[in-house]
Amino acid sequence: AIIHSSLFLCDIMAPPTLSFEASWGDDLDSTMIVGKKASIERLTPGLLGNLGLKDLIAKPILDSMISSLDDKSGGGPSTTLLVTKDEKIHKFMVAGLPSKVSRHNHPMAVHTLTSMAAKATPKGGNKHRLVVLSDDSSVAPLGLAIAKAFSLFNMKTGGKTQEGGEDEPKQLHIAFVKSDGSLLDDAQQLQAAQVAGKGAQLTARLVDSHPELLTTEKFSEEVQQLVKAHAPKVKMTEIVGEDLLDKGYGGLYGVGKAAACPPRMIILEYNGGGSETVALVGKGIVFDTGGLSLKPKVGMCGMKMDMGGAAGLLGGFF
């Protein structure tokens, strides 16, 4: 298919590195198992062996942790500390997802999954593991939900570091468990989760960026970097400033002509073969003051998000 996408047009502290895989390194500092309570009860006892935790947690303690989860609303996590064979402290957590969701929600309650994933990298240690009992759901939406918990944009400065220098970046290894208790090792599905997660983080970073940082010119630079990374599969065309008026895009030109950075339209094309043509359009007004109908102070501060359509399209396109 030929896909046409049109985009109308800091400081970053690194979140954990997300790795979607069926294996992980040694010396992990924590493990969180998240899923619906029935799946946790059924699969966790047998899963502990694959996680290297079989002899480290007593059955009464595990039973108590699982029983504390709310079957209806999910929640958690319930936490205990384990001592590994090399006498290292390992934090073990179980977190629940709602057993029932509305017809408007994803069967795996992805909003709750995002909330639980945010707690999967506790303080202390840099190598963490999140094990998702997927109930055989497609893992791409689950990967997207997990990635949403870790924003790439952060304007905080300073902060404490470990003794001896800067903090070591955190790592979060994410594994999915099928309904039969085995780890998902399908490379294509795991890559789909990884790509969906990266797209979500890109979109969130652009939407979170302040308008003085993400001007129309800077937005264009972001697109150009992605196009360069995917060349020659992706073609980019850009119409800027007065050229918009000349080509008949008077509305777009009129909205942005008074800004310091000129308005622009970016067209991305990907030819994947076939006879079908798909066109996707995303609005990218980097800050919407309201023009003649100036927005009040309460509504004005959130208008940096008016480019969310273009940002979402960009994350999905790549």
Side-chain angles (χ1 to χ4, degrees):
I2 300 175
I3 301 178
H4 299 277
S5 296
S6 300
L7 309 182
F8 301 159
L9 295 184
C10 103
D11 290 335
I12 300 175
M13 297 176 63
T17 300
L18 306 183
S19 300
F20 295 84
E21 53 198 350
S23 61
W24 40 79
D26 298 325
D27 301 325
L28 293 171
D29 297 295
S30 75
T31 297
M32 173 186 282
I33 297 177
V34 60
K36 296 182 180 181
K37 186 174 182 179
S39 297
I40 294 176
E41 289 175 331
R42 182 171 59 87
L43 297 177
T44 298
L47 188 59
L48 292 179
N50 290 336
L51 301 178
L53 304 175
K54 182 177 181 180
D55 300 324
L56 302 182
I57 181 169
K59 186 177 184 301
I61 295 177
L62 179 62
D63 291 344
S64 178
M65 294 175 68
I66 296 174
S67 66
S68 69
L69 300 177
D70 188 328
D71 182 47
K72 184 176 181 180
S73 62
S78 177
T79 306
T80 189
L81 298 179
L82 309 179
V83 180
T84 63
K85 294 179 180 178
D86 56 0
E87 298 185 351
K88 182 181 178 180
I89 299 298
H90 186 95
K91 181 173 285 188
F92 176 71
M93 299 164 279
V94 292
L97 301 177
S99 59
K100 295 182 179 181
V101 297
S102 74
R103 62 188 178 90
H104 306 291
N105 201 347
H106 188 280
M108 291 297 291
V110 289
H111 297 297
T112 304
L113 178 58
T114 299
S115 299
M116 295 300 102
K119 302 174 183 179
T121 56
K123 293 181 179 179
N126 298 301
K127 296 181 180 180
H128 307 280
R129 174 172 56 191
L130 175 63
V131 181
V132 182
L133 309 185
S134 68
D135 290 354
D136 295 331
S137 292
S138 173
V139 299
L142 306 186
L144 189 153
I146 292 167
K148 283 176 61 178
F150 304 103
S151 173
L152 297 176
F153 183 86
N154 196 323
M155 289 296 291
K156 291 182 179 180
T157 59
K160 297 181 180 179
T161 60
Q162 296 178 349
E163 184 177 352
E166 297 181 356
D167 281 329
E168 180 183 345
K170 290 189 175 185
Q171 302 173 23
L172 180 59
H173 301 271
I174 302 146
F176 299 99
V177 177
K178 297 184 287 187
S179 59
D180 63 2
S182 63
L183 292 171
L184 176 70
D185 59 359
D186 185 308
Q188 187 174 7
Q189 291 193 55
L190 292 173
Q191 181 170 6
Q194 188 89 47
V195 170
K198 285 184 176 181
Q201 287 186 309
L202 168 63
T203 297
R205 176 171 66 80
L206 294 174
V207 173
D208 289 341
S209 294
H210 298 182
E212 69 271 21
L213 300 178
L214 190 71
T215 63
T216 57
E217 291 178 356
K218 179 60 178 176
F219 204 145
S220 175
E221 292 175 9
E222 293 274 359
V223 179
Q224 291 174 37
Q225 291 178 12
L226 288 168
V227 170
K228 186 182 296 185
H230 292 81
K233 295 181 179 180
V234 177
K235 176 184 175 183
M236 173 178 169
T237 303
E238 187 173 24
I239 307 172
V240 184
E242 299 287 342
D243 288 344
L244 289 167
L245 191 60
D246 295 340
K247 293 182 180 297
Y249 299 104
L252 177 57
Y253 173 76
V255 168
K257 67 179 181 180
C261 296
R264 61 195 68 215
M265 182 168 71
I266 297 174
I267 302 171
L268 300 174
E269 296 181 71
Y270 169 73
N271 190 341
S275 58
E276 184 181 16
T277 298
V278 178
L280 306 173
V281 181
K283 183 180 72 172
I285 298 179
V286 294
F287 195 84
D288 182 9
T289 62
L292 292 176
S293 301
L294 197 65
K295 297 184 183 298
K297 62 180 181 180
V298 176
M300 183 78 78
C301 56
M303 286 298 102
K304 69 184 182 71
M305 297 185 291
D306 217 29
M307 38 62 67
L313 177 57
L314 189 62
F317 186 88
F318 288 100

